[in-house]
Amino acid sequence: MSVQILDIVVYSHDGEKRVLSLKPGKVNIITGASQTGKSALSDIIDYCFGSGECHVAHGPLRLRVAWYGLRLQLASGEAFVARRCPPPRAQSSTDYFIATGRTVKVPEASELRATTNLEGATTTLTSWVGIRDNLHEPPTGQRRAALSATVRHAVALCLQQQDEIISKKHLFHGTSDNWAAQALKDALPYFLGAVDDDHVRKQGELRRLREQLRAVERRLAEIAALRGDGATKADALLAQARDAGLTQEVTPTWDGAVSALRAVLKTPLASVDATLPDGMEFSRLSTERAELLQAQRRILADIDSARAFSKDEKGFSHETKEQKARLATIGIFEGGEPGHTCPLCAQDLPTENAPPEVAALQGALTDVASRMESVARVEPHIENAISALEVRLQEVQQSLMRNRTQMEAVRSANTAVSEAHADSAKKAHVLGRVSLYLESMPDVPDTKDLEGQAESIRAKCKQLEEELSDERVQEQLASIASLLSEKLTKWARELGLEHSEYPMRLDLKKLTLVADTVDGAIPMSRIGSGENGVGFHLIAHLALHQWFVQRSRPVPHFIFFDQPSQVYFPADKDVDGSMGLVPDDDRHRVQQMFRLIFDAVQAVAPGLQVILIEHADLNEDWYRDAIVERWRGGKKLVPEDW
């Protein structure tokens, strides 16, 4: 059981207290005349639950009261929370008194003192309701801050004040304010259970994994940069070593080049001189360059030839299309006697001016069409051949760049030792450069483990991103809305609400009730009459709170309805609450409405408490048994003698 209200208490400046006791898990009715303080009860509840301002009307309820208090039934134990009434010119007070225990009595006025402030009380109330750490992060591109649901957002689902319960524009308490409405939209997925209770933990874990992944990727990038920067230099040194006769190793990889250089350092010079030719690397590279240049020229020539052929083919195709268009007019000869009748004027033609045979023209047309089809079939093959040649050209050009780098390195080495004619001096110079490079080269670890770690982290991130994705939350919300729709539709039909022959549903994005008709979705704001407005508020809140109770969601398990019968039984018709001046049809509708509330509470008893403020005093046993106080004949929330 989440939070329910056991007592509503007000304290006078003289130390007196007025206690309104309520029953948890039941319907509690406070009936009475106007101007007795009934509607102020919702403002007191809101104020004690951390409202930024005290909305209790100025008058006796503000001037004669020192503290407002609530005794609460918690999931385990009881609590008492009181908040100081603000001074006459102030909007609120931050002074709170809080007491908890297995059972808690309503304290005396002398015991009240400030034990915490508004922030501390809000945090405490949030924990009592069962709200865990949660965080709603707006979609990418939206600038509003991330939101953590608190008891303040939950209370918006529990209060229906007199002017709110008849509103067709706003379904929930306080949502006439756009900021409050957006905050409730952001918090609803958590309250409904579409967002897992471990959502924040998973979000934190996802952030940590992303930070780990960034660190691993940075390390991999650094190693890749070291290898990339060192690859050219290692290749150059290896080319110099080959030219000096220190090795014959040729390798395309950085790791292979480094291994070959390490092997060069370990090879004795005497052994090198006896087994390896020197001074041949530059010659080998020159030969390789000549071959590459020849291959490049050959490929370029092939590409030029292919493109020229493609150009000729396109020209031929153009000319052929024109010939075909001219020959296509052969159709005008059909139906006439070939060679004797003009196709334009139908005159007989002299024999000496006879035109070409129609059959010959048709044969020419067929021949042209056949040639065009052949060209069309050849064209894609030409393009594919050109693409393949361009890929080969790019490979040759990359080999040329690598060859040029190695030649420059060999030439540089030869220049550096040009004054030393002895082969041993040249070899010693190259060995010194290799040794310096290897000694100054940073330790580059094997990246296999890091790459495996990065892949594992990416997989975990992907799984968490799917679990936390907005699409998954929306799917859950749609499922919940569908489950609630069946109950909403059933209750709307029981109350005879307009458009109830169609399915009714909650639009959680717009915070309203919608009827899905054949003419499209009709929101609550476009459905007329106050009776419909009250009915929609009742069925929406009762359905939601039954869901909260059944799913053990962290929302206070009480609803405050302020005068739902006002559209049938306004205050000016109230004499003694008997509804004697109300027509029979309206009395029947009021009875149906109250019966629905009682049945909804009984269906999840003792999980839901309803506090019902009314003028009406029905002559029904089930209704009268639920009345906790009648405020008539001078009885009010704040006694006259205070």
Side-chain angles (χ1 to χ4, degrees):
M1 180 187 294
S2 183
V3 172
Q4 295 187 12
I5 301 175
L6 300 175
D7 297 298
I8 302 175
V9 188
V10 291
Y11 293 87
S12 73
H13 293 285
D14 298 330
E16 298 183 73
K17 62 183 178 183
R18 164 80 160 91
V19 180
L20 172 63
S21 295
L22 304 173
K23 301 173 184 177
K26 296 182 179 296
V27 178
N28 296 263
I29 301 174
I30 298 95
T31 182
S34 300
Q35 299 182 353
T36 55
K38 299 191 305 298
S39 294
L41 293 173
S42 64
D43 293 321
I44 292 173
I45 294 172
D46 196 23
Y47 185 61
C48 289
F49 270 93
S51 172
E53 294 184 13
C54 180
H55 297 289
V56 177
H58 284 275
L61 287 169
R62 290 284 288 270
L63 299 176
R64 300 178 186 175
V65 173
W67 289 80
Y68 304 107
L70 301 174
R71 189 166 72 95
L72 304 173
Q73 175 69 59
L74 307 182
S76 59
E78 297 177 0
F80 184 84
V81 54
R83 188 175 181 183
R84 192 186 299 276
C85 177
R89 295 185 180 180
Q91 297 295 324
S92 66
S93 171
T94 61
D95 291 347
Y96 265 90
F97 171 84
I98 289 179
T100 58
R102 188 169 183 179
T103 60
V104 175
K105 294 182 179 180
V106 176
E108 299 297 326
S110 59
E111 300 176 50
L112 300 181
R113 65 191 186 282
T115 59
T116 187
N117 56 18
L118 176 60
E119 183 178 356
T122 302
T123 301
T124 301
L125 287 161
T126 299
S127 66
W128 288 348
V129 171
I131 298 175
R132 298 182 183 179
D133 289 340
N134 64 91
L135 186 69
H136 175 273
E137 294 182 347
T140 304
Q142 297 188 11
R143 295 185 177 181
R144 68 179 185 275
L147 176 137
S148 294
T150 69
V151 71
R152 291 301 308 149
H153 305 104
V155 168
L157 301 167
C158 302
L159 300 177
Q160 284 288 282
Q161 297 181 336
Q162 184 177 358
D163 58 339
E164 293 173 332
I165 199 170
I166 60 173
S167 172
K168 294 189 294 181
K169 293 183 178 180
H170 306 292
L171 185 60
F172 298 105
H173 174 66
T175 53
S176 57
D177 179 274
N178 290 333
W179 291 103
Q182 185 59 59
L184 185 57
K185 291 177 188 178
D186 292 343
L188 262 176
Y190 172 71
F191 291 136
L192 288 168
V195 172
D196 193 277
D197 286 339
D198 291 334
H199 196 77
V200 170
R201 180 189 60 78
K202 292 179 180 179
Q203 284 180 325
E205 184 179 354
L206 179 59
R207 283 193 294 271
R208 289 191 296 273
L209 287 173
R210 284 173 174 169
E211 290 174 359
Q212 290 178 15
L213 181 59
R214 282 193 291 270
V216 172
E217 288 177 339
R218 280 197 301 269
R219 181 60 179 150
L220 287 171
E222 290 171 359
I223 295 172
L226 288 172
R227 287 180 171 175
D229 294 340
T232 302
K233 191 169 185 180
D235 281 344
L237 286 173
L238 190 59
Q240 293 173 12
R242 287 195 298 267
D243 186 64
L246 295 170
T247 183
Q248 292 180 330
E249 187 73 27
V250 178
T251 176
T253 65
W254 178 77
D255 290 332
V258 171
S259 297
L261 291 175
R262 294 186 190 278
V264 166
L265 284 181
K266 295 178 182 179
T267 305
L269 283 176
S271 174
V272 171
D273 292 337
T275 59
L276 294 177
D278 69 33
M280 301 298 294
E281 178 64 11
F282 192 83
S283 177
R284 187 190 71 78
L285 291 173
S286 297
T287 302
E288 180 185 279
R289 182 170 184 80
E291 293 174 353
L292 289 171
L293 287 172
Q294 184 178 359
Q296 178 179 251
R297 285 193 296 270
R298 187 169 56 252
I299 294 172
L300 286 172
D302 290 344
I303 290 174
D304 290 340
S305 299
R307 286 176 175 166
F309 183 79
S310 177
K311 182 177 180 181
D312 293 343
E313 174 271 325
K314 290 178 180 176
F316 176 78
S317 178
H318 177 72
E319 292 295 331
T320 307
K321 286 179 181 177
E322 289 189 355
Q323 291 186 32
K324 183 179 179 182
R326 288 195 294 269
L327 290 171
T329 56
I330 187 62
I332 64 177
F333 291 98
E334 295 178 0
E337 185 178 355
H340 298 285
T341 305
C342 176
L344 299 178
C345 62
Q347 297 287 333
D348 292 334
L349 296 174
T351 305
E352 59 273 12
N353 294 327
E357 291 293 331
V358 172
L361 293 174
Q362 288 177 336
L365 178 61
T366 302
D367 181 59
V368 169
S370 175
R371 292 184 182 184
M372 287 185 64
E373 291 177 0
S374 298
V375 171
R377 288 194 297 270
V378 170
E379 185 176 359
H381 297 287
I382 297 174
E383 295 298 328
N384 290 337
I386 292 174
S387 298
L389 287 170
E390 288 176 342
V391 171
R392 288 176 55 196
L393 178 62
Q394 185 176 5
E395 293 174 352
V396 170
Q397 288 174 342
Q398 289 176 350
S399 298
L400 278 169
M401 292 177 62
R402 180 183 178 90
N403 176 272
R404 185 183 300 112
T405 301
Q406 294 178 353
M407 288 184 69
E408 290 175 354
V410 172
R411 187 184 296 112
S412 174
N414 287 337
T415 301
V417 296
S418 60
E419 296 180 358
H421 299 287
D423 292 340
S424 59
K426 182 178 180 180
K427 292 179 175 64
H429 176 76
V430 173
L431 286 171
R433 296 194 63 192
V434 170
S435 177
L436 178 63
Y437 170 72
L438 293 176
E439 289 175 0
S440 61
M441 184 183 68
D443 184 21
V444 181
D446 186 4
T447 60
K448 189 175 296 183
D449 291 341
L450 282 174
E451 289 170 354
Q453 184 180 355
E455 189 62 30
S456 174
I457 295 174
R458 288 192 194 99
K460 292 178 181 178
C461 286
K462 183 178 180 181
Q463 180 182 353
L464 285 173
E465 285 168 353
E466 291 176 354
E467 293 176 1
L468 300 174
S469 67
D470 186 61
E471 290 79 6
R472 182 164 183 173
V473 172
Q474 294 305 318
E475 288 176 1
Q476 293 292 325
L477 287 175
S479 176
I480 294 170
S482 177
L483 293 172
L484 294 175
S485 175
E486 182 178 354
K487 187 171 296 184
L488 292 170
T489 304
K490 174 178 176 291
W491 286 347
R493 290 171 182 170
E494 288 180 7
L495 295 181
L497 302 179
E498 193 171 346
H499 298 300
S500 60
E501 67 272 21
Y502 300 107
M504 312 293 293
R505 63 178 170 85
L506 277 170
D507 187 335
L508 300 175
K509 291 184 178 179
K510 297 181 179 178
L511 299 181
T512 190
L513 202 70
V514 172
D516 288 318
T517 73
V518 293
D519 297 321
I522 301 179
M524 181 178 70
S525 59
R526 288 168 46 198
I527 299 177
S529 83
E531 293 90 338
N532 287 315
V534 171
F536 290 143
H537 280 258
L538 288 177
I539 64 174
H541 283 78
L542 290 171
L544 280 172
H545 275 267
Q546 280 195 347
W547 175 267
F548 296 149
V549 172
Q550 292 165 345
R551 305 295 296 180
S552 300
R553 298 309 302 157
V555 177
H557 289 177
F558 67 83
I559 316 175
F560 187 100
F561 290 129
D562 192 350
Q563 301 182 44
S565 70
Q566 60 186 290
V567 293
Y568 306 100
F569 186 45
D572 57 5
K573 292 185 179 181
D574 179 18
V575 178
D576 56 3
S578 64
M579 299 186 69
L581 300 178
V582 178
D584 291 343
D585 288 347
D586 287 349
R587 280 203 304 272
H588 177 68
R589 287 180 177 274
V590 171
Q591 185 168 334
Q592 275 186 315
M593 182 173 60
F594 289 145
R595 190 69 260 176
L596 174 65
I597 296 173
F598 275 78
D599 290 344
V601 171
Q602 182 59 37
V604 292
L608 179 60
Q609 176 188 47
V610 168
I611 303 168
L612 189 59
I613 305 302
E614 268 300 335
H615 284 285
D617 194 344
L618 298 185
N619 189 22
E620 299 286 345
D621 291 341
W622 51 268
Y623 186 90
R624 290 180 174 272
D625 289 343
I627 296 175
V628 293
E629 286 194 11
R630 290 183 173 86
W631 293 355
R632 298 183 184 277
K635 188 173 183 178
K636 302 179 180 180
L637 176 59
V638 176
E640 292 287 352
D641 58 354
W642 277 18

